[in-house]
Amino acid sequence: MVGGARGAGVVGTTLLILTISTNIALQLQPIQADHEQKIDGEVVNMWGTRFGTELWESLTRATRRDEIQKGYDSHADLTVKEIDGFDMVKRMAAEVQVMMQHKIDAIKRIMELAENIALDHKYDKDRGERLKEGRYTYYNAKKLNVLSDDDEGGGDEFGRYLSQYRDPGDDFYAPGYSRMSLTANKHFSGIPVNTSFSSVHVPTNVFDGEPKVINAIDWSRKLDETFKDNYQRDPSLSWQYFGSSTGFLRQYPAMKWLMYEDDPDMYDARMRDWYIKSAASPKDIVILLDTSGSMTGLRKEIAKHVVLNIMETLGEDDFVTVLTFSDETRPLVECFTDSDGEPELVQATTENIAEFTEAVNNIATMEIANFTSALTEAFTLLERYRTKKIGAESNQAIMLVTDGVPYTYETIFQEYNQPHKPVRVFTYLIGREISDLEAAKWMACENKGYFTHVTTLAEVKEQVLKYIPVMARPLVLLRETHPVRWTGVYADIEVPNDRSLWVIGLKKPTTRKRIRELQGKEGSFKGYKLMTSVSIPVYNKKNHTVRIAELLGVAGTDVPIAEIEKLIPPYKLGVNGYSFAVNNNGYILYHPDLRPMFQEILKPNYNSVDLAEVELVHNPQHDEPRYNDSALYMMRKEMVDQKDGLARLTVKVHMDDMKRVTVREQEYFYYNISNTPFTLGIVMPTKYGKYRVSGGLELNQNRHIDATSIFSDDRWKLHPDWVYCEYNYAGTDDRKFDSPEKNMKHFLERLADEKASFNWGQSRVRPLPKCQGNGYYQADCPKCDKELVQALVLDGEITKIFTDEKSRKDLFKQFGIELSFVSTRSGLTRWE
């Protein structure tokens, strides 16, 4: 590396790193010496000094270091400023909060319209029959743009798609099917979509001809106008959706749902984290699993599936345990006990659920069921958590999974659950050959729960899901209170997890290459895209003689993590600086060391990585790779509690794809993001991280920019991940550019033409009124980082000598130099 070291050259040194890749042959003439003559230290020192001097001088010429240094020294507007890290993270958190508020406002508009149109909808019990007969249809995502089984190809593929909107005598006429023009859109991960409509996904285990289902599909089609209106208001908006309590998912924009014969569709919106969190509050759950001698064969298998499906509906805000009972009651997982050996509730993390899943697969059945012991143990456990205010500190429930309940056990319920009934009881009665259902019904109905009779494996999921609307009743009855919920990080195309694959009995696929290949035919899908989702419940507001608490569904939208990162520009964080965010459980939302994939496969626990797992504190007194550092855990606790503050840690940092490790002292600044469960943090190296070079080429009416002159050839690159300028609705055809360089040249040409009238967009969150017109964004309204673009133009002007001057191939050959390049603070790299 070569850099200036004189007076005003401090700015130039900070601004750029001049580096060359060399293969330097020894240019020094060998010193003639007798082979018997001894070489003393002064001679070696002289050789070293001479070699170093000539190397420095030759590389100075090769990199044009002096000319570039003079260019920066002569620019008076450049200054070095000391950065206030806490003030910076506070401002960045405010920008992220404004962006996220836009998403919250969008789903509130969906929620309000959904409640109103459901209120006005006229129920038609015969709509399902008309669907079956082909007299009614909707855009079914699974039946969109489908070719017939005997399709022979040839001609226009769109013309061969099955559709109900054809003449009944047409060879391609098919009730329930439809055609739609889908265009690959970069904004939606390259997936072909239609932004004029939404499409509906119906789970495999839901019949769309059932009157309640088809009527909800019918009234929810009116959400399309709000979906489109939201997208016009906020072009950064990702997928919008409404998940109905009847099972279907309406998603905007419309897309085709990919189907495979050997990979059945197991998606059910009601099992997703965004739905569960909004549909019900956090909860403490004790699952009582009957392992008496009668629970054998099919009953045992159904019971296992019930437990696993209950687990599927839990998230990291919930606490759960499973107690098995026959003659004795004991924890399913032995290690989930406290220091006294008593059962305890554990957070429903992916790791803990995996432990339950493995254990439930190995249960043995024997003896006679002791319900008294089991119910007493469960109530005692929940009472301990309730009085000590630990666990979820919200709803509590007992899930009883058994093949028969001999008595009502009223005395136990009177002792532990009367008069206020703080614990709901849900009973899942397993098996066909059951004559007496009354005791199980009484337990559930008298304790604010729900009774379910599960007779086959196929109905397990649908029966388990019936508990969610019951848990949601307190919020639904309030009606006016609509809590906004955020999920943790997840991938937008997920490989099914081990639990759901275990349920349907499939071997785990190694990858989803087929999905990526199909989407890649028309799009530019590059792999997994990390997201978080925000959702809100939708209630039935119809007035009945008796108040009915009915959850219509949940409205939500995705927020790509990349949209959050855009608001924390890396150039502002400086060299070796970075940002990260955690949620209210201490899990990483994003972090440079969050590596969710291994060889194109999502890691099992990619969405539950703790902050303490990615920040590795260095302490010479501890040899182990990771230990419990009090300063780190204090910072983590404050971030979980959404407090603001700062910390200083010495951590181990890996480089060069983990080939090397260094130790670095860093300063951490963190601030909560209002109205979300997230806290934003930024990190800067202690010694040099607080200083930044500020200033650029002021672009105004009196200064002409010639993009062709600044970047006259193609020997330059911009940082591929930095956002300089971008258009709203960048996914449309007229806003696509092959590379960041072409995109930047386009905007520089616009700057040259429009000069002072060029609209910078003010910030990435709030465009200028001119960009909004009557409340909507315009497609030609850019969002530019003015500070970064002006720094880029300055760097481009100063470093264009790399292309303006004549070729120096002879000089390079003389010194054995293969490549010379310059990299600047604005992300510009040029070479020759």
Side-chain angles (χ1 to χ4, degrees), residues 637-677:
K637 184 179 186 304
E638 290 191 340
M639 295 186 77
V640 166
D641 294 339
Q642 294 207 290
K643 297 179 180 178
D644 52 78
L646 52 92
R648 179 176 293 185
L649 300 173
T650 302
V651 296
K652 289 172 276 194
V653 181
H654 65 83
M655 296 179 289
D656 300 334
D657 294 326
M658 296 191 170
K659 293 184 179 72
R660 296 187 298 122
V661 174
T662 187
V663 174
R664 184 184 299 146
E665 187 179 51
Q666 301 185 147
E667 292 185 348
Y668 295 74
F669 306 91
Y670 44 94
Y671 201 88
N672 77 86
I673 302 171
S674 301
N675 299 329
T676 77

mmCIF file of all heavy atoms in Angstrom, residues 637-677:
data_model
loop_
_atom_site.group_PDB
_atom_site.id
_atom_site.type_symbol
_atom_site.label_atom_id
_atom_site.label_comp_id
_atom_site.label_asym_id
_atom_site.label_seq_id
_atom_site.Cartn_x
_atom_site.Cartn_y
_atom_site.Cartn_z
ATOM 1 N N LYS A 637 -28.408 -7.081 27.197
ATOM 2 C CA LYS A 637 -29.604 -6.889 28.016
ATOM 3 C C LYS A 637 -30.241 -5.535 27.749
ATOM 4 O O LYS A 637 -31.461 -5.412 27.633
ATOM 5 C CB LYS A 637 -29.253 -7.021 29.501
ATOM 6 C CG LYS A 637 -30.462 -6.932 30.430
ATOM 7 C CD LYS A 637 -30.075 -7.097 31.885
ATOM 8 C CE LYS A 637 -31.314 -7.146 32.783
ATOM 9 N NZ LYS A 637 -32.194 -5.978 32.632
ATOM 10 N N GLU A 638 -29.410 -4.506 27.645
ATOM 11 C CA GLU A 638 -29.948 -3.172 27.396
ATOM 12 C C GLU A 638 -30.585 -3.086 26.011
ATOM 13 O O GLU A 638 -31.610 -2.425 25.834
ATOM 14 C CB GLU A 638 -28.845 -2.120 27.552
ATOM 15 C CG GLU A 638 -28.397 -1.942 29.001
ATOM 16 C CD GLU A 638 -27.515 -0.729 29.193
ATOM 17 O OE1 GLU A 638 -26.948 -0.252 28.182
ATOM 18 O OE2 GLU A 638 -27.382 -0.256 30.333
ATOM 19 N N MET A 639 -30.005 -3.763 25.023
ATOM 20 C CA MET A 639 -30.588 -3.752 23.681
ATOM 21 C C MET A 639 -31.908 -4.529 23.656
ATOM 22 O O MET A 639 -32.857 -4.127 22.988
ATOM 23 C CB MET A 639 -29.597 -4.330 22.666
ATOM 24 C CG MET A 639 -28.340 -3.497 22.487
ATOM 25 S SD MET A 639 -27.245 -4.081 21.171
ATOM 26 C CE MET A 639 -28.101 -3.484 19.717
ATOM 27 N N VAL A 640 -31.966 -5.643 24.393
ATOM 28 C CA VAL A 640 -33.205 -6.412 24.487
ATOM 29 C C VAL A 640 -34.291 -5.573 25.160
ATOM 30 O O VAL A 640 -35.456 -5.593 24.750
ATOM 31 C CB VAL A 640 -32.967 -7.728 25.258
ATOM 32 C CG1 VAL A 640 -34.281 -8.359 25.668
ATOM 33 C CG2 VAL A 640 -32.152 -8.696 24.410
ATOM 34 N N ASP A 641 -33.911 -4.812 26.173
ATOM 35 C CA ASP A 641 -34.856 -3.953 26.888
ATOM 36 C C ASP A 641 -35.123 -2.646 26.149
ATOM 37 O O ASP A 641 -35.841 -1.779 26.657
ATOM 38 C CB ASP A 641 -34.331 -3.634 28.293
ATOM 39 C CG ASP A 641 -34.272 -4.866 29.177
ATOM 40 O OD1 ASP A 641 -34.979 -5.844 28.881
ATOM 41 O OD2 ASP A 641 -33.501 -4.867 30.153
ATOM 42 N N GLN A 642 -34.532 -2.507 24.972
ATOM 43 C CA GLN A 642 -34.687 -1.334 24.104
ATOM 44 C C GLN A 642 -34.254 -0.033 24.783
ATOM 45 O O GLN A 642 -34.906 1.002 24.678
ATOM 46 C CB GLN A 642 -36.125 -1.219 23.596
ATOM 47 C CG GLN A 642 -36.513 -2.365 22.652
ATOM 48 C CD GLN A 642 -37.590 -1.970 21.683
ATOM 49 O OE1 GLN A 642 -38.722 -1.776 22.069
ATOM 50 N NE2 GLN A 642 -37.242 -1.846 20.411
ATOM 51 N N LYS A 643 -33.134 -0.118 25.472
ATOM 52 C CA LYS A 643 -32.511 1.078 26.046
ATOM 53 C C LYS A 643 -31.400 1.548 25.115
ATOM 54 O O LYS A 643 -30.861 0.776 24.336
ATOM 55 C CB LYS A 643 -31.946 0.768 27.436
ATOM 56 C CG LYS A 643 -33.010 0.362 28.460
ATOM 57 C CD LYS A 643 -32.366 0.037 29.804
ATOM 58 C CE LYS A 643 -33.425 -0.368 30.827
ATOM 59 N NZ LYS A 643 -32.815 -0.728 32.134
ATOM 60 N N ASP A 644 -31.061 2.799 25.212
ATOM 61 C CA ASP A 644 -29.954 3.312 24.394
ATOM 62 C C ASP A 644 -28.709 3.403 25.253
ATOM 63 O O ASP A 644 -28.784 3.492 26.486
ATOM 64 C CB ASP A 644 -30.304 4.675 23.803
ATOM 65 C CG ASP A 644 -30.776 5.667 24.860
ATOM 66 O OD1 ASP A 644 -29.913 6.204 25.569
ATOM 67 O OD2 ASP A 644 -31.998 5.894 24.975
ATOM 68 N N GLY A 645 -27.550 3.379 24.600
ATOM 69 C CA GLY A 645 -26.304 3.440 25.355
ATOM 70 C C GLY A 645 -25.106 3.183 24.484
ATOM 71 O O GLY A 645 -25.172 3.199 23.246
ATOM 72 N N LEU A 646 -23.961 2.957 25.127
ATOM 73 C CA LEU A 646 -22.717 2.686 24.414
ATOM 74 C C LEU A 646 -21.868 1.738 25.245
ATOM 75 O O LEU A 646 -22.064 1.582 26.451
ATOM 76 C CB LEU A 646 -21.964 3.978 24.104
ATOM 77 C CG LEU A 646 -21.704 4.955 25.265
ATOM 78 C CD1 LEU A 646 -20.355 4.653 25.907
ATOM 79 C CD2 LEU A 646 -21.720 6.389 24.761
ATOM 80 N N ALA A 647 -20.954 1.075 24.576
ATOM 81 C CA ALA A 647 -20.069 0.117 25.243
ATOM 82 C C ALA A 647 -18.754 0.059 24.485
ATOM 83 O O ALA A 647 -18.660 0.501 23.337
ATOM 84 C CB ALA A 647 -20.717 -1.265 25.299
ATOM 85 N N ARG A 648 -17.742 -0.477 25.162
ATOM 86 C CA ARG A 648 -16.434 -0.682 24.519
ATOM 87 C C ARG A 648 -15.997 -2.115 24.791
ATOM 88 O O ARG A 648 -15.942 -2.557 25.940
ATOM 89 C CB ARG A 648 -15.398 0.305 25.049
ATOM 90 C CG ARG A 648 -14.013 0.111 24.437
ATOM 91 C CD ARG A 648 -13.033 1.166 24.915
ATOM 92 N NE ARG A 648 -13.396 2.492 24.424
ATOM 93 C CZ ARG A 648 -12.641 3.583 24.617
ATOM 94 N NH1 ARG A 648 -11.515 3.486 25.314
ATOM 95 N NH2 ARG A 648 -13.019 4.752 24.143
ATOM 96 N N LEU A 649 -15.711 -2.857 23.713
ATOM 97 C CA LEU A 649 -15.325 -4.255 23.826
ATOM 98 C C LEU A 649 -14.085 -4.517 22.976
ATOM 99 O O LEU A 649 -13.874 -3.872 21.942
ATOM 100 C CB LEU A 649 -16.448 -5.177 23.345
ATOM 101 C CG LEU A 649 -17.805 -5.105 24.052
ATOM 102 C CD1 LEU A 649 -18.817 -5.959 23.321
ATOM 103 C CD2 LEU A 649 -17.673 -5.545 25.499
ATOM 104 N N THR A 650 -13.268 -5.449 23.440
ATOM 105 C CA THR A 650 -12.155 -5.952 22.635
ATOM 106 C C THR A 650 -12.582 -7.309 22.094
ATOM 107 O O THR A 650 -12.850 -8.238 22.863
ATOM 108 C CB THR A 650 -10.876 -6.085 23.469
ATOM 109 O OG1 THR A 650 -10.551 -4.796 24.017
ATOM 110 C CG2 THR A 650 -9.713 -6.574 22.611
ATOM 111 N N VAL A 651 -12.679 -7.403 20.777
ATOM 112 C CA VAL A 651 -13.254 -8.610 20.167
ATOM 113 C C VAL A 651 -12.290 -9.226 19.162
ATOM 114 O O VAL A 651 -11.365 -8.574 18.668
ATOM 115 C CB VAL A 651 -14.594 -8.290 19.459
ATOM 116 C CG1 VAL A 651 -15.629 -7.820 20.457
ATOM 117 C CG2 VAL A 651 -14.393 -7.251 18.366
ATOM 118 N N LYS A 652 -12.554 -10.503 18.863
ATOM 119 C CA LYS A 652 -11.806 -11.205 17.818
ATOM 120 C C LYS A 652 -12.557 -11.050 16.499
ATOM 121 O O LYS A 652 -13.766 -11.279 16.434
ATOM 122 C CB LYS A 652 -11.652 -12.684 18.173
ATOM 123 C CG LYS A 652 -10.693 -12.913 19.342
ATOM 124 C CD LYS A 652 -10.696 -14.350 19.804
ATOM 125 C CE LYS A 652 -11.825 -14.599 20.780
ATOM 126 N NZ LYS A 652 -11.699 -15.865 21.517
ATOM 127 N N VAL A 653 -11.833 -10.661 15.468
ATOM 128 C CA VAL A 653 -12.433 -10.410 14.160
ATOM 129 C C VAL A 653 -11.720 -11.267 13.121
ATOM 130 O O VAL A 653 -10.492 -11.278 13.055
ATOM 131 C CB VAL A 653 -12.314 -8.918 13.770
ATOM 132 C CG1 VAL A 653 -12.961 -8.670 12.421
ATOM 133 C CG2 VAL A 653 -12.943 -8.034 14.840
ATOM 134 N N HIS A 654 -12.499 -11.991 12.301
ATOM 135 C CA HIS A 654 -11.879 -12.830 11.271
ATOM 136 C C HIS A 654 -11.774 -12.067 9.952
ATOM 137 O O HIS A 654 -12.556 -11.158 9.675
ATOM 138 C CB HIS A 654 -12.680 -14.124 11.078
ATOM 139 C CG HIS A 654 -14.071 -13.893 10.547
ATOM 140 N ND1 HIS A 654 -14.347 -13.717 9.218
ATOM 141 C CD2 HIS A 654 -15.262 -13.821 11.178
ATOM 142 C CE1 HIS A 654 -15.630 -13.543 9.037
ATOM 143 N NE2 HIS A 654 -16.218 -13.591 10.220
ATOM 144 N N MET A 655 -10.805 -12.442 9.150
ATOM 145 C CA MET A 655 -10.579 -11.805 7.854
ATOM 146 C C MET A 655 -10.208 -12.873 6.832
ATOM 147 O O MET A 655 -9.886 -14.008 7.183
ATOM 148 C CB MET A 655 -9.451 -10.769 7.965
ATOM 149 C CG MET A 655 -9.777 -9.605 8.899
ATOM 150 S SD MET A 655 -8.423 -8.422 9.014
ATOM 151 C CE MET A 655 -7.256 -9.370 9.955
ATOM 152 N N ASP A 656 -10.261 -12.483 5.560
ATOM 153 C CA ASP A 656 -9.845 -13.374 4.469
ATOM 154 C C ASP A 656 -10.535 -14.727 4.558
ATOM 155 O O ASP A 656 -9.884 -15.782 4.589
ATOM 156 C CB ASP A 656 -8.319 -13.566 4.467
ATOM 157 C CG ASP A 656 -7.571 -12.257 4.298
ATOM 158 O OD1 ASP A 656 -8.153 -11.336 3.722
ATOM 159 O OD2 ASP A 656 -6.420 -12.169 4.752
ATOM 160 N N ASP A 657 -11.878 -14.690 4.587
ATOM 161 C CA ASP A 657 -12.652 -15.934 4.655
ATOM 162 C C ASP A 657 -12.219 -16.816 5.819
ATOM 163 O O ASP A 657 -12.050 -18.022 5.690
ATOM 164 C CB ASP A 657 -12.545 -16.712 3.344
ATOM 165 C CG ASP A 657 -13.199 -15.969 2.191
ATOM 166 O OD1 ASP A 657 -14.212 -15.281 2.448
ATOM 167 O OD2 ASP A 657 -12.705 -16.073 1.067
ATOM 168 N N MET A 658 -12.012 -16.182 6.948
ATOM 169 C CA MET A 658 -11.671 -16.871 8.204
ATOM 170 C C MET A 658 -10.294 -17.534 8.182
ATOM 171 O O MET A 658 -10.029 -18.432 8.989
ATOM 172 C CB MET A 658 -12.732 -17.912 8.568
ATOM 173 C CG MET A 658 -14.086 -17.305 8.848
ATOM 174 S SD MET A 658 -15.236 -18.490 9.579
ATOM 175 C CE MET A 658 -16.569 -17.411 10.042
ATOM 176 N N LYS A 659 -9.445 -17.086 7.296
ATOM 177 C CA LYS A 659 -8.079 -17.634 7.290
ATOM 178 C C LYS A 659 -7.222 -16.978 8.368
ATOM 179 O O LYS A 659 -6.249 -17.567 8.833
ATOM 180 C CB LYS A 659 -7.435 -17.423 5.919
ATOM 181 C CG LYS A 659 -8.086 -18.218 4.790
ATOM 182 C CD LYS A 659 -7.326 -18.020 3.485
ATOM 183 C CE LYS A 659 -7.934 -18.826 2.354
ATOM 184 N NZ LYS A 659 -9.227 -18.260 1.916
ATOM 185 N N ARG A 660 -7.573 -15.740 8.741
ATOM 186 C CA ARG A 660 -6.793 -15.033 9.753
ATOM 187 C C ARG A 660 -7.735 -14.388 10.766
ATOM 188 O O ARG A 660 -8.877 -14.093 10.453
ATOM 189 C CB ARG A 660 -5.915 -13.945 9.110
ATOM 190 C CG ARG A 660 -4.852 -14.492 8.184
ATOM 191 C CD ARG A 660 -3.904 -13.404 7.712
ATOM 192 N NE ARG A 660 -4.577 -12.370 6.936
ATOM 193 C CZ ARG A 660 -4.579 -11.086 7.253
ATOM 194 N NH1 ARG A 660 -3.973 -10.668 8.354
ATOM 195 N NH2 ARG A 660 -5.187 -10.208 6.494
ATOM 196 N N VAL A 661 -7.209 -14.167 11.944
ATOM 197 C CA VAL A 661 -7.988 -13.525 13.008
ATOM 198 C C VAL A 661 -7.149 -12.413 13.615
ATOM 199 O O VAL A 661 -5.933 -12.563 13.809
ATOM 200 C CB VAL A 661 -8.382 -14.543 14.109
ATOM 201 C CG1 VAL A 661 -9.062 -13.826 15.272
ATOM 202 C CG2 VAL A 661 -9.291 -15.618 13.547
ATOM 203 N N THR A 662 -7.785 -11.304 13.886
ATOM 204 C CA THR A 662 -7.101 -10.208 14.572
ATOM 205 C C THR A 662 -7.937 -9.792 15.776
ATOM 206 O O THR A 662 -9.108 -10.151 15.887
ATOM 207 C CB THR A 662 -6.900 -8.999 13.625
ATOM 208 O OG1 THR A 662 -6.089 -8.021 14.286
ATOM 209 C CG2 THR A 662 -8.228 -8.362 13.259
ATOM 210 N N VAL A 663 -7.327 -9.043 16.661
ATOM 211 C CA VAL A 663 -8.013 -8.541 17.851
ATOM 212 C C VAL A 663 -8.174 -7.035 17.691
ATOM 213 O O VAL A 663 -7.219 -6.333 17.340
ATOM 214 C CB VAL A 663 -7.219 -8.866 19.129
ATOM 215 C CG1 VAL A 663 -7.868 -8.203 20.340
ATOM 216 C CG2 VAL A 663 -7.141 -10.377 19.334
ATOM 217 N N ARG A 664 -9.386 -6.546 17.939
ATOM 218 C CA ARG A 664 -9.660 -5.129 17.703
ATOM 219 C C ARG A 664 -10.506 -4.569 18.844
ATOM 220 O O ARG A 664 -11.480 -5.202 19.280
ATOM 221 C CB ARG A 664 -10.405 -4.960 16.377
ATOM 222 C CG ARG A 664 -10.659 -3.505 15.991
ATOM 223 C CD ARG A 664 -11.477 -3.425 14.710
ATOM 224 N NE ARG A 664 -10.766 -4.059 13.619
ATOM 225 C CZ ARG A 664 -11.362 -4.722 12.628
ATOM 226 N NH1 ARG A 664 -12.670 -4.852 12.624
ATOM 227 N NH2 ARG A 664 -10.652 -5.262 11.664
ATOM 228 N N GLU A 665 -10.132 -3.397 19.318
ATOM 229 C CA GLU A 665 -10.946 -2.705 20.315
ATOM 230 C C GLU A 665 -11.985 -1.859 19.589
ATOM 231 O O GLU A 665 -11.629 -1.079 18.698
ATOM 232 C CB GLU A 665 -10.078 -1.825 21.212
ATOM 233 C CG GLU A 665 -10.855 -1.201 22.374
ATOM 234 C CD GLU A 665 -9.987 -0.345 23.275
ATOM 235 O OE1 GLU A 665 -9.273 0.535 22.743
ATOM 236 O OE2 GLU A 665 -10.023 -0.544 24.509
ATOM 237 N N GLN A 666 -13.257 -2.040 19.951
ATOM 238 C CA GLN A 666 -14.343 -1.372 19.229
ATOM 239 C C GLN A 666 -15.290 -0.665 20.189
ATOM 240 O O GLN A 666 -15.470 -1.083 21.324
ATOM 241 C CB GLN A 666 -15.140 -2.399 18.402
ATOM 242 C CG GLN A 666 -14.291 -3.130 17.381
ATOM 243 C CD GLN A 666 -15.111 -4.053 16.490
ATOM 244 O OE1 GLN A 666 -14.770 -4.231 15.336
ATOM 245 N NE2 GLN A 666 -16.179 -4.644 17.005
ATOM 246 N N GLU A 667 -15.900 0.404 19.677
ATOM 247 C CA GLU A 667 -16.912 1.132 20.432
ATOM 248 C C GLU A 667 -18.280 0.837 19.830
ATOM 249 O O GLU A 667 -18.452 0.860 18.603
ATOM 250 C CB GLU A 667 -16.629 2.634 20.419
ATOM 251 C CG GLU A 667 -15.377 3.009 21.207
ATOM 252 C CD GLU A 667 -15.165 4.505 21.288
ATOM 253 O OE1 GLU A 667 -15.857 5.230 20.551
ATOM 254 O OE2 GLU A 667 -14.313 4.948 22.084
ATOM 255 N N TYR A 668 -19.258 0.530 20.688
ATOM 256 C CA TYR A 668 -20.605 0.164 20.275
ATOM 257 C C TYR A 668 -21.578 1.251 20.706
ATOM 258 O O TYR A 668 -21.551 1.697 21.853
ATOM 259 C CB TYR A 668 -21.020 -1.164 20.909
ATOM 260 C CG TYR A 668 -20.194 -2.350 20.455
ATOM 261 C CD1 TYR A 668 -18.881 -2.530 20.914
ATOM 262 C CD2 TYR A 668 -20.714 -3.286 19.576
ATOM 263 C CE1 TYR A 668 -18.116 -3.605 20.503
ATOM 264 C CE2 TYR A 668 -19.962 -4.380 19.162
ATOM 265 C CZ TYR A 668 -18.665 -4.537 19.621
ATOM 266 O OH TYR A 668 -17.913 -5.605 19.211
ATOM 267 N N PHE A 669 -22.435 1.673 19.777
ATOM 268 C CA PHE A 669 -23.471 2.653 20.072
ATOM 269 C C PHE A 669 -24.807 2.035 19.655
ATOM 270 O O PHE A 669 -24.917 1.476 18.564
ATOM 271 C CB PHE A 669 -23.236 3.947 19.301
ATOM 272 C CG PHE A 669 -21.864 4.539 19.507
ATOM 273 C CD1 PHE A 669 -20.815 4.203 18.664
ATOM 274 C CD2 PHE A 669 -21.611 5.424 20.551
ATOM 275 C CE1 PHE A 669 -19.543 4.737 18.844
ATOM 276 C CE2 PHE A 669 -20.344 5.961 20.742
ATOM 277 C CZ PHE A 669 -19.309 5.619 19.888
ATOM 278 N N TYR A 670 -25.831 2.139 20.501
ATOM 279 C CA TYR A 670 -27.097 1.500 20.163
ATOM 280 C C TYR A 670 -28.270 2.368 20.593
ATOM 281 O O TYR A 670 -28.188 3.147 21.544
ATOM 282 C CB TYR A 670 -27.203 0.102 20.781
ATOM 283 C CG TYR A 670 -26.752 -0.011 22.222
ATOM 284 C CD1 TYR A 670 -27.662 0.102 23.278
ATOM 285 C CD2 TYR A 670 -25.414 -0.243 22.536
ATOM 286 C CE1 TYR A 670 -27.252 -0.009 24.594
ATOM 287 C CE2 TYR A 670 -24.989 -0.352 23.859
ATOM 288 C CZ TYR A 670 -25.913 -0.231 24.882
ATOM 289 O OH TYR A 670 -25.500 -0.346 26.185
ATOM 290 N N TYR A 671 -29.369 2.217 19.825
ATOM 291 C CA TYR A 671 -30.558 3.039 20.054
ATOM 292 C C TYR A 671 -31.775 2.265 19.565
ATOM 293 O O TYR A 671 -31.724 1.590 18.530
ATOM 294 C CB TYR A 671 -30.449 4.368 19.297
ATOM 295 C CG TYR A 671 -31.330 5.464 19.841
ATOM 296 C CD1 TYR A 671 -30.886 6.296 20.859
ATOM 297 C CD2 TYR A 671 -32.605 5.666 19.333
ATOM 298 C CE1 TYR A 671 -31.696 7.309 21.374
ATOM 299 C CE2 TYR A 671 -33.425 6.672 19.835
ATOM 300 C CZ TYR A 671 -32.961 7.492 20.859
ATOM 301 O OH TYR A 671 -33.749 8.484 21.368
ATOM 302 N N ASN A 672 -32.885 2.335 20.307
ATOM 303 C CA ASN A 672 -34.072 1.553 19.926
ATOM 304 C C ASN A 672 -34.786 2.176 18.734
ATOM 305 O O ASN A 672 -34.755 3.391 18.534
ATOM 306 C CB ASN A 672 -35.027 1.418 21.115
ATOM 307 C CG ASN A 672 -35.817 2.679 21.374
ATOM 308 O OD1 ASN A 672 -36.868 2.906 20.791
ATOM 309 N ND2 ASN A 672 -35.300 3.535 22.273
ATOM 310 N N ILE A 673 -35.429 1.311 17.939
ATOM 311 C CA ILE A 673 -36.238 1.740 16.797
ATOM 312 C C ILE A 673 -37.687 1.778 17.278
ATOM 313 O O ILE A 673 -38.295 0.737 17.527
ATOM 314 C CB ILE A 673 -36.079 0.785 15.604
ATOM 315 C CG1 ILE A 673 -34.598 0.699 15.201
ATOM 316 C CG2 ILE A 673 -36.921 1.247 14.419
ATOM 317 C CD1 ILE A 673 -34.300 -0.377 14.166
ATOM 318 N N SER A 674 -38.244 2.950 17.429
ATOM 319 C CA SER A 674 -39.568 3.125 18.022
ATOM 320 C C SER A 674 -40.640 2.337 17.272
ATOM 321 O O SER A 674 -40.558 2.157 16.051
ATOM 322 C CB SER A 674 -39.947 4.608 18.028
ATOM 323 O OG SER A 674 -39.004 5.356 18.759
ATOM 324 N N ASN A 675 -41.634 1.867 18.020
ATOM 325 C CA ASN A 675 -42.786 1.121 17.479
ATOM 326 C C ASN A 675 -42.403 -0.220 16.881
ATOM 327 O O ASN A 675 -43.156 -0.798 16.091
ATOM 328 C CB ASN A 675 -43.541 1.951 16.428
ATOM 329 C CG ASN A 675 -44.089 3.243 17.001
ATOM 330 O OD1 ASN A 675 -44.434 3.299 18.184
ATOM 331 N ND2 ASN A 675 -44.142 4.276 16.187
ATOM 332 N N THR A 676 -41.228 -0.714 17.214
ATOM 333 C CA THR A 676 -40.786 -2.038 16.767
ATOM 334 C C THR A 676 -40.087 -2.714 17.942
ATOM 335 O O THR A 676 -39.702 -2.048 18.916
ATOM 336 C CB THR A 676 -39.793 -1.952 15.583
ATOM 337 O OG1 THR A 676 -38.499 -1.561 16.069
ATOM 338 C CG2 THR A 676 -40.257 -0.972 14.528
ATOM 339 N N PRO A 677 -39.866 -4.027 17.868
ATOM 340 C CA PRO A 677 -39.113 -4.707 18.936
ATOM 341 C C PRO A 677 -37.614 -4.711 18.678
ATOM 342 O O PRO A 677 -36.887 -5.455 19.316
ATOM 343 C CB PRO A 677 -39.680 -6.129 18.879
ATOM 344 C CG PRO A 677 -40.021 -6.331 17.448
ATOM 345 C CD PRO A 677 -40.455 -4.992 16.922
#
